[in-house]
Structure formats: structure tokens, C-alpha cells
Amino acid sequence: MIGEHAFCPHSGASLSREAHYDARGRPERAPQPADRATSAALDAPLTTGAVRSSKRALTAYFRRCHGRHGEPDEALYRRGALALGRLKEAASGRDARDEIVWYALGERLARSDFDVEWMAAHAEPRCPGCNGRLAYVEGPNGPIGRCGGSCRPADGDRLETVRTLVRSLFERTFPDVAPPDTDDLALL
């Protein structure tokens, strides 16, 4: 993921607070060895996160985030790793982005009676067009997410597009389970 929830896209390690600047003046951060990531994380290049991370990185991020909210739960971790594997395999294009996979994972775990509310604190919907932050305005049926970046304002409700991408990925990955309505997703 990028932004506030960025982590190393190769290992899932937390990133340093200290920024290092590349030859073009772009800030990058180093993976930290203090969490559950292996020492291989230290060999990872400097980064600011990525829109699409490896399955290993997203699994490590999932475990680390859960650890901040509760006691270790091996059943949750096993189910999460299995679901992540299936989601990453089925994902392509815009729905392969980390936050789309994260929200679809939350939906799958919620349907297996796991508490997933904690997951909402570790991801944020981003514009499907440019990956920029969303700016929210109140609409007649709840909040509307507009691109806060470079997309045209006339491009519609980006939050609804995110919900549709999550539903589509969930439906392709788990065809034996009834897909959620976009308004009934566990985390959005």
C-alpha cells in the first residue's frame, strides 16, 4: 500500500520514519527489521510502498496489523493467508491493488465469522484512476468519494467504483459464495 499505510511491497516490513532521497529528490524509506519480516526484508530496496504488493508482503502486513488489535489468532492467520492467496491469484488490473484485495479479504473473513472491523484502520480507499487520496462530500445517500488528485471531478463517485471493484474481485475469487451488495460490504 501507499500513503499513510505504506509498507515494503516485497516483505511487508514496516518502513522507517526517516526518508532518504534518490537522485531525483524523491523521498524513500527503508524496511525495518523489528517486526515479523525476515532478514531478507533488509535487502529490499528503499521504497515508499507500492500500489500492488506481493502476497507475502500483504500477509505480513495483515498479521502485524492484527497484532496491534488483539492476541495472535492462528485460525484467523491461516484463513487469511488462504484467502489472500486466492484473491491475489484472481486479481488483475485495477482490482489487483492492495486496498481492493484488503477489502475483499475483509469481506471473506467476515463471512467466516471473524471480527474484521480492525482492518478498516489499516487501509484507505484510493482513487481507482490515479491512486490519489479521496476527498469526501456528503451525498443524498451517504458520503461520495471524489478524486482529490489529478482526475476530473466529473468522473463520479470513486468510492462506489472501489466498492464495485471489491465486489467483482470477491465474486471472481469465491464463485461458490453469494457476492455482497456494494452497499453491504463489511469494511466499506
Side-chain angles (χ1 to χ4, degrees):
M1 285 189 217
I2 58 175
E4 182 182 336
H5 306 287
F7 58 86
C8 176
H10 307 289
S11 68
S14 297
L15 298 177
S16 65
R17 296 239 182 257
E18 181 182 330
H20 306 274
Y21 295 89
D22 69 5
R24 298 168 105 188
R26 296 178 298 198
E28 296 177 321
R29 297 167 22 195
Q32 296 296 293
D35 54 32
R36 297 180 183 177
T38 64
S39 60
L42 299 176
D43 297 332
L46 297 175
T47 185
T48 54
V51 175
R52 292 176 183 89
S53 301
S54 69
K55 175 188 165 212
R56 174 181 162 208
L58 210 48
T59 301
Y61 181 69
F62 175 79
R63 289 178 66 109
R64 186 174 65 251
C65 291
H66 180 264
R68 293 179 186 157
H69 295 275
E71 295 298 316
D73 183 344
E74 291 304 319
L76 172 67
Y77 299 156
R78 281 191 305 274
R79 182 67 61 100
L82 249 150
L84 266 172
R86 290 181 66 185
L87 287 162
K88 292 293 277 181
E89 190 175 303
S92 64
R94 293 190 310 174
D95 65 14
R97 294 181 3 246
D98 286 346
E99 82 270 7
I100 303 299
V101 173
W102 185 261
Y103 293 130
L105 172 63
E107 186 64 31
R108 178 63 173 182
L109 293 174
R111 299 226 177 166
S112 297
D113 295 323
F114 287 103
D115 172 34
V116 296
E117 286 186 27
W118 62 270
M119 292 178 70
H122 299 282
E124 65 178 312
R126 299 192 68 91
C127 176
C130 70
N131 297 314
R133 292 184 145 205
L134 295 180
Y136 297 96
V137 296
E138 191 59 40
N141 298 324
I144 294 174
R146 301 266 188 226
C147 178
S150 61
C151 294
R152 296 186 327 241
D155 285 343
D157 184 359
R158 298 309 196 144
L159 193 55
E160 184 58 34
T161 304
V162 169
R163 288 182 181 120
T164 302
L165 288 169
V166 171
R167 182 186 191 278
S168 173
L169 176 59
F170 185 92
E171 188 173 27
R172 279 194 328 276
T173 306
F174 309 109
D176 54 325
V177 179
D181 288 333
T182 56
D183 290 334
D184 294 331
L185 292 169
L187 297 176
L188 284 173

